[in-house]
Amino acid sequence: MEFTRAESFLHEGLLQSFELTKYILKTNVYPREPTPLKELREVTTRHPGKLMSTAPDSGQLIGMLLKLINAKKTIEIGVYTGYSLLLTALSIPHDAMIIAIDPNKETYEIGLPVIQKAGVEHKINFIESQALPVLDILLQNKDNEGSFDFAFVDADKENYLNYHERLLKLVKVGGLIIFDNTLWGGTVAQPEEAVSEDRKESRRSIIEFNNSVSIDQRIEIALAPSGDGLTICRRIR
């Protein structure tokens, strides 16, 4: 199995080792990656925005968590070409559903043929919109409070805390909310002057988010150094 540096674009910033990245992918991730996900990953690597895709090793962890909690009703904020969306659709039961929110339908449609081919499009309600207005509409219906099993967020970092507050009302006690990119290429541990200008604003937002959830008594948390950092929040109250 051949690897290129393009395949490790989300990993090398944290692991600082291309060889270790190759080892993880070769021995643990790629041999078990479902064919539709492999196909969508390959399609996505040809897109100029490929850095926004969920890392395959993170996807493997998310898929296991979805099955462990037997998730049936989920929300995804930030879809891009749909790698994590397809992963979720493959991991949940036939009669389960996903509300998927993204303002860019064009990138979603890049992965849509693969999703359709995998036979899971019926589980997906794609909404072309900014996420906050959709979440607020959902919260207007009291029946939606505490009705979701799982949420995954990989969107604008400046709104992570806003998403967190709304999702805590929508996800049930015992449910999971996962936020991607919470180590932001390792820059959260670097002095600000060492960070490139294009990453500083999002870095500040991620640090604020990390500090906030670390003391949030409504959740249990675990920050997994997978991909670009996954913060796993389990609602406990």
Side-chain angles (χ1 to χ4, degrees):
M1 186 181 298
E2 294 297 324
F3 294 85
T4 67
R5 289 189 177 270
E7 292 179 282
S8 66
F9 52 80
L10 283 179
H11 303 260
E12 203 169 8
L14 293 182
L15 297 181
Q16 299 296 310
S17 169
F18 180 59
E19 293 304 318
L20 183 54
T21 296
K22 286 198 300 181
Y23 177 81
I24 292 170
L25 294 175
K26 182 178 180 179
T27 61
N28 288 274
V29 180
Y30 288 167
R32 292 177 175 267
E33 186 180 39
T35 299
L37 284 176
K38 189 182 301 292
E39 183 178 351
L40 183 48
R41 175 169 54 81
E42 291 171 353
V43 168
T44 302
T45 59
R46 298 195 289 268
H47 190 267
K50 60 182 178 289
L51 288 172
M52 294 189 292
S53 186
T54 302
D57 55 332
S58 293
Q60 188 179 57
L61 175 58
I62 292 167
M64 181 178 290
L65 292 171
L66 283 161
K67 293 170 184 174
L68 283 171
I69 66 170
N70 192 28
K72 294 182 179 178
K73 188 176 180 183
T74 77
I75 300 177
E76 177 153 336
I77 300 175
V79 173
Y80 185 45
T81 60
Y83 186 91
S84 57
L85 179 60
L86 176 57
L87 165 80
T88 301
L90 291 170
S91 301
I92 60 180
H94 180 79
D95 60 347
M97 61 88 70
I98 311 161
I99 293 177
I101 312 165
D102 197 294
N104 189 344
K105 191 174 183 179
E106 288 185 6
T107 51
Y108 167 63
E109 290 177 339
I110 292 172
L112 185 56
V114 183
I115 292 170
Q116 292 170 333
K117 182 180 174 183
V120 293
E121 186 187 8
H122 68 281
K123 303 180 187 180
I124 299 168
N125 175 17
F126 178 83
I127 301 173
E128 185 179 13
S129 172
Q130 298 294 334
L132 289 177
V134 176
L135 297 178
D136 287 339
I137 290 171
L138 288 172
L139 285 168
Q140 289 175 11
N141 183 348
K142 293 295 184 182
D143 291 341
N144 286 324
E145 292 187 8
S147 69
F148 289 84
D149 304 301
F150 177 90
F152 178 64
V153 183
D154 184 5
D156 52 315
K157 314 312 171 194
E158 291 73 19
N159 271 314
Y160 267 28
L161 281 174
N162 289 324
Y163 297 144
H164 180 64
E165 288 303 319
R166 288 160 174 81
L167 290 171
L168 271 178
K169 297 175 183 177
L170 291 166
V171 171
K172 69 181 184 182
V173 173
L176 298 181
I177 308 169
I178 297 182
F179 293 86
D180 200 7
N181 305 119
T182 52
L183 292 177
W184 205 232
T187 61
V188 293
Q190 297 173 359
E192 185 165 349
E193 59 270 20
V195 179
S196 62
E197 286 298 325
D198 62 317
R199 309 203 78 184
K200 282 184 178 179
E201 183 176 354
S202 292
R203 172 187 174 273
R204 285 192 287 266
S205 297
I206 288 293
I207 290 174
E208 182 184 6
F209 170 78
N210 289 341
N211 290 340
S212 179
V213 297
S214 72
I215 58 173
D216 192 334
Q217 298 302 306
R218 299 168 295 177
I219 56 174
E220 296 174 331
I221 65 168
L223 204 172
S226 175
D228 194 25
L230 285 180
T231 295
I232 303 162
C233 307
R234 178 176 178 266
R235 183 184 171 192
I236 59 174
R237 63 176 66 171

